[in-house]
């Protein structure tokens, strides 16, 4: 299977249309005359400021990236699975793996949940290899902490997806937010916005310093 081609061109003369024609020509040269699904191209491949790209809605006029409504509906259904209910500890490993993959995808449109994904990934490490259910590694206290974090993260996800009226606000971010720090610094004006900060902590105290002031 070949992924969809993505074109991002400035609206200068006929450049966007010429670019698409060049892409289609090369695809046919490489994979043959049947390389392009023309029906799908006509339905989804129109040149526009906003377009569905790799499963995410990107609007290059506003510079935003958004989780589409069908993905939010699917997320709500997934989080409603009985095995993901608060307090449940009989979670099929396949379901936990599906959740981990979906949550990683959701974080593209809501980067603030990325630090929480470790609580899900931790549950994929099996204390009993081959078990069809989640069984986190560690001593009794560590296992209890793992389940505690798991359920807290799931509750946050349920809140984020609970109200369809909040989906757009909860899962829309700037396109630049999806870039790595080095990629973002290459954008015009981004380097001037950099702030350097540092922190450290003990079991009793935490300290942080902003070097920008």
């Amino acid at each position: 299977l070949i992924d969809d081609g993505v074109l991002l061109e400035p609206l200068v003369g006929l450049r966007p249309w010429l670019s698409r024609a060049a892409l289609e020509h090369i695809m046919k040269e490489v994979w043959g005359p049947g390389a392009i699904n023309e029906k799908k191209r006509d339905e989804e491949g129109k040149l526009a400021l906003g377009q569905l790209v790799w499963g995410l809605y990107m609007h290059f006029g506003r510079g935003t990236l958004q989780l589409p409504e069908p993905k939010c509906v699917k997320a709500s259904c997934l989080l409603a699975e009985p095995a993901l209910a608060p307090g449940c500890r009989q979670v099929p490993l396949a379901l936990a793996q599906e959740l981990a993959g979906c949550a990683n995808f959701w974080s593209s449109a809501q980067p603030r949940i990325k630090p929480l994904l470790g609580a899900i990934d931790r549950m994929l490490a099996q204390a009993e290899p081959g078990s069809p259910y989640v069984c986190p590694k560690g001593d009794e206290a560590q296992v209890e902490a793992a389940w505690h974090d798991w359920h807290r993260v799931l509750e946050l996800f349920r809140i984020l997806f609970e109200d369809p009226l909040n989906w757009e606000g909860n899962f829309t971010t700037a396109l630049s937010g999806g870039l790595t720090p080095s990629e973002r610094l290459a954008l015009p004006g981004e380097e001037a916005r950099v702030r350097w900060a540092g922190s450290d902590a003990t079991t009793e105290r935490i300290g942080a310093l902003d070097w920008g002031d």
Side-chain angles (χ1 to χ4, degrees):
L1 296 177
I2 306 301
D3 286 341
D4 297 336
V6 178
L7 298 173
L8 180 58
E9 295 284 354
L11 186 55
V12 178
L14 298 175
R15 178 166 173 162
W17 292 270
L18 293 174
S19 179
R20 183 170 67 179
L23 173 63
E24 292 183 359
H25 173 73
I26 293 300
M27 289 175 67
K28 291 179 180 179
E29 286 290 311
V30 175
W31 293 298
I36 298 174
N37 185 333
E38 296 186 0
K39 181 180 179 180
K40 184 177 180 182
R41 179 200 60 192
D42 294 341
E43 291 177 354
E44 304 177 3
K46 296 179 180 179
L47 296 171
L49 285 175
Q51 191 60 273
L52 196 65
V53 181
W54 302 314
L56 296 165
Y57 183 74
M58 300 185 186
H59 197 289
F60 297 95
R62 297 192 293 263
T64 57
L65 181 152
Q66 181 181 340
L67 194 66
E69 183 176 331
K71 299 289 187 182
C72 293
V73 172
K74 180 180 178 182
S76 298
C77 293
L78 175 63
L79 293 168
E81 286 284 339
L84 299 182
C88 180
R89 294 195 176 189
Q90 193 169 18
V91 182
L93 180 60
L95 180 60
Q97 291 170 335
E98 180 182 0
L99 176 66
C102 289
N104 187 62
F105 184 76
W106 304 335
S107 70
S108 300
Q110 179 47 279
R112 291 179 180 84
I113 68 173
K114 287 184 178 180
L116 307 178
L117 302 185
I120 298 176
D121 294 338
R122 180 180 181 183
M123 305 299 275
L124 304 182
Q126 296 288 84
E128 301 174 12
S131 172
Y133 292 97
V134 167
C135 48
K137 293 181 177 181
D139 58 31
E140 183 177 352
Q142 291 171 331
V143 169
E144 284 298 318
W147 280 113
H148 176 72
D149 292 345
W150 164 267
H151 287 299
R152 288 187 66 188
V153 169
L154 287 180
E155 185 60 26
L156 174 61
F157 287 168
R158 277 189 285 268
I159 292 172
L160 290 174
F161 285 107
E162 181 178 17
D163 189 347
L165 295 177
N166 292 329
W167 286 347
E168 182 176 353
N170 290 341
F171 292 95
T172 300
T173 188
L175 282 169
S176 58
L179 302 176
T180 64
S182 59
E183 291 171 335
R184 187 164 181 172
L185 285 172
L187 296 176
E190 286 295 314
E191 187 174 359
R193 300 175 60 188
V194 172
R195 298 186 70 93
W196 293 95
S199 64
D200 203 354
T202 68
T203 56
E204 298 178 350
R205 297 185 181 183
I206 182 171
L209 182 63
D210 184 345
W211 295 95
D213 296 328

